[in-house]
Amino acid sequence: MKGKKIVSSLIAVLMLTGLLSACSSNKESDSNTSPDASGTPATETGGVDISKEAKLVYYLWGSEGVANKAILAEINKKLKADLNATIEVKYIDWPDTATKYPLLFASGEEFDMSHASPGAPVSYFTLASQGALVDITDMLDKVAPKLKAEIPESIWQNTKYKGKIFGVPSLYSEFTPAGYAYRSDLLKKYGMDKITTLDEMTKYMDNVVANESFPPLNGKAEDAQNMFRMLVDTTDMWLDAPGISLNELNLVTKSPEDYKTVMHPAFTQEFEDWAVKMREWADKGYWEKDILSSSLGGKDNFRAANSAGYMTHAQDWIGQYGADLKSQPTSDPYFFTFAEANKKIKRKLGVDNSTVISTSSANPERSLMVIEKFMTDESYYNLLQYGIEGKQYVIEDGVKKNPPGFNEKTDGGGFSAWSLRNDKFVIPSDTENPIRNTLFADWDKVAINDPYSGFSFDPANVTTEIASISNVNSQLGIQLMLGKTSKSPKEAVAEYRDQLKKAGVDKVIAEVEKQLTEFVPAK
C-alpha cells in the first residue's frame, strides 16, 4: 500500500497531537441504473462495470448514534439497487482523533473513504503528498460527471496538490471563527448591550463574579487553547501559520501579506502582556481554580447553569443554540467573535472539509460513485445528514424538527459526514440560531482567505523538535494561558521562551519558512 510511505511522517504527528484536544422531500434516486423486476441491480452505470458487489468501508469521526444502524440499512438498500454497493461505517471517537486518525493511514489497514482536512491531525495535503490518497482527477469525468459539474471549478482548484485532485470538497458555506458564547439575559441585567471588545468582555465577567453564584467560564484544560486563540485573533493581523499543531500554542504570521515570515507569539510583548492578563483573570475568579484537573467541559457547565458562558467556534454556537435554550430558556446566548473587530475572519474553503479515497481501497471508482450520490441526490443526502424522515426528523413549514414522541436515547442518530454537505439540500433546523444566514452573508463580504490554503508542511526534518515543543506546550504553555504557573507570569514567560529555544523552535520556524519559499496560496 502506498500509504505505508507516510509512517515516518505520521510518527511525528502522533507525538505532537492530542495534547489540548480540537463540529425535505424523499425524491427517488436519479441514478442511471435501477433494479429489474426481480430486484436484481443493474450491472453497469456510466460505463463502469458494477456487476461485482462492492463492500466499502467509510471512516467517520464521532461516536455511533443509537439509530445509526437502522439509518445505514436504508442507505444500503438504495446503494445496493443503484450501484451494487454497500458501506460499513467505522467510527473514530472524538477523544481519539489525534491518535487513531493518523494510524488509520499509517497502519496499512484496507479501507475506502474517510474525512480529510488541511487542519486534521494529518493534513489533507500531507496525505496527498505521501501517496495515501487516490488521484481522482481523471476518474471524475468517467464515473462522477454530475459531481464534477456540481462543484465550481474555483473550489476544485483549492483541492489540488501539484495540479491533481485528491479529495471531494464540501459545498457547505461555513465560518468557524473562535469566540465566547454568553448569556444575553445577564448582559441586559448588567445594563450592557453586546460584547464586541475584550474590555466589554472583562466588564461582563466582572459583573458575573460580583453578582452570580457561578463563574463567567467553567471549562477544563482545553480552554487554554481557547485563550491562546483569543490572543491570536484579537492581536493586529496575526494569523495561524503551519509547523506546530493548531491544537496547541502554534506559530503565526503577522499578516496575510507576509505569510512567508512566521514566528512564535511567545517571543512578543503581546504574549507577555497576555500571560499577565490571564493571571489576573484567574485571580479574579473568571474560571474555577481546579480548571486544569476538571473533567466537565464549558458547554456542559453552561447548560447546567454553572457558568455564564463558554468558549467555542461560531458554527458550534449556531448549531447548538436550540440545545442551549432548552437547558437555559432565558439565556438566549450571544457570541463574541474574537477576530471580527480586526476584519480577519477566514473563509472556509471546500477543501477544509473533504472526502477522500484511500490508496488501500479495492474499489476507488465505486467509492467515488457513492460520494457522488451523497452530494448530488437529495434522497441520499437526507438519509445521511438527517436520518429517516418520521423517525429522526419531520419538516414543518420548511424547518426540520424532531418528530412527536422522539426520544434521543432510542431514536437519536446521525453521522458526522459534514464533508458531504451541500448548501442546496440544507434544511434549516429548529435547533439552529436563525441568525446564521444573515451573519454568514455579512461575514462573506469581508472574509479573507487563509494564505496557507494548499500548503503542506512536511515535518520529517524537525520531528524531534516538534515533539519537544509539544511537551513544553503541554506542561508550561497551558499553565500560562490559564494563569496557573507557580512563578509570576513574566518569570514563567521567560522560562517558556527558554524551553522553546532548547526544544528547537527556531529550527522549526526555519524549516517552515524554507518550505514556504516557492509556495503560492490557492486562489
Side-chain angles (χ1 to χ4, degrees), residues 182-190 192-193 204 302 308 330-334:
Y182 60 96
R183 294 181 56 157
S184 66
D185 58 338
L186 296 182
L187 190 80
K188 295 166 185 175
K189 174 181 175 180
Y190 309 141
M192 299 178 65
D193 183 21
Y204 172 80
F302 178 83
T330 65
S331 64
D332 189 15
Y334 289 176

Side-chain angles (χ1 to χ4, degrees), residues 306-318:
N306 290 326
S307 79
Y310 62 93
M311 297 289 198
T312 188
H313 61 78
Q315 185 62 41
D316 183 59
W317 162 66
I318 289 169

Side-chain angles (χ1 to χ4, degrees), residues 76-98:
N76 280 333
K77 286 180 186 178
K78 294 172 65 61
L79 286 175
K80 178 66 176 173
D82 291 340
L83 301 176
N84 197 16
T86 57
I87 58 173
E88 174 189 0
V89 175
K90 294 186 177 181
Y91 303 87
I92 301 176
D93 211 354
W94 296 111
D96 301 325
T97 55

Side-chain angles (χ1 to χ4, degrees), residues 238-385:
W238 287 9
L239 294 174
D240 295 328
I244 297 175
S245 172
L246 297 183
N247 288 328
E248 49 189 289
L249 278 62
N250 53 269
L251 302 177
V252 301
T253 184
K254 288 187 176 180
S255 72
E257 296 75 26
D258 194 22
Y259 63 90
K260 293 188 178 182
T261 302
V262 301
M263 65 175 185
H264 196 295
F267 299 93
T268 65
Q269 187 60 47
E270 290 91 341
F271 185 91
E272 183 176 300
D273 293 343
W274 189 256
V276 172
K277 184 190 291 289
M278 292 301 96
R279 173 64 65 84
E280 292 173 351
W281 283 16
D283 290 346
K284 282 184 175 182
Y286 285 1
W287 47 81
E288 296 287 10
K289 293 181 179 180
D290 64 349
I291 188 170
L292 289 175
S293 60
S294 176
S295 60
L296 200 60
K299 190 186 302 179
D300 291 326
N301 276 315
F302 178 83
R303 292 178 179 174
N306 290 326
S307 79
Y310 62 93
M311 297 289 198
T312 188
H313 61 78
Q315 185 62 41
D316 183 59
W317 162 66
I318 289 169
Q320 298 295 325
Y321 181 75
D324 286 345
L325 279 182
K326 184 177 180 180
S327 298
Q328 298 298 324
T330 65
S331 64
D332 189 15
Y334 289 176
F335 193 71
F336 167 39
T337 311
F338 305 143
E340 192 165 23
N342 289 358
K343 294 181 172 60
K344 55 178 182 177
I345 291 176
K346 286 185 290 188
R347 181 180 290 104
K348 286 188 76 70
L349 303 173
V351 70
D352 288 322
N353 285 308
S354 298
T355 306
V356 294
I357 301 171
S358 168
T359 49
S360 69
S361 172
N363 294 282
E365 289 186 337
R366 208 82 61 90
S367 297
L368 187 57
M369 294 163 76
V370 168
I371 294 170
E372 181 180 56
K373 285 294 184 187
F374 285 138
M375 291 193 69
T376 65
D377 186 313
E378 191 173 13
S379 63
Y380 279 92
Y381 186 91
N382 289 347
L383 277 168
L384 185 68
Q385 300 296 340

Side-chain angles (χ1 to χ4, degrees), residues 45-49 137-145 365 368-369:
T45 180
V48 178
D49 180 7
T137 311
D138 298 328
M139 195 189 302
L140 281 164
D141 288 315
K142 180 183 178 183
V143 307
E365 289 186 337
L368 187 57
M369 294 163 76

Side-chain angles (χ1 to χ4, degrees), residues 488-499:
S488 71
K490 293 187 177 183
E491 289 176 320
V493 168
E495 180 183 354
Y496 181 55
R497 290 169 176 170
D498 181 60
Q499 290 189 21

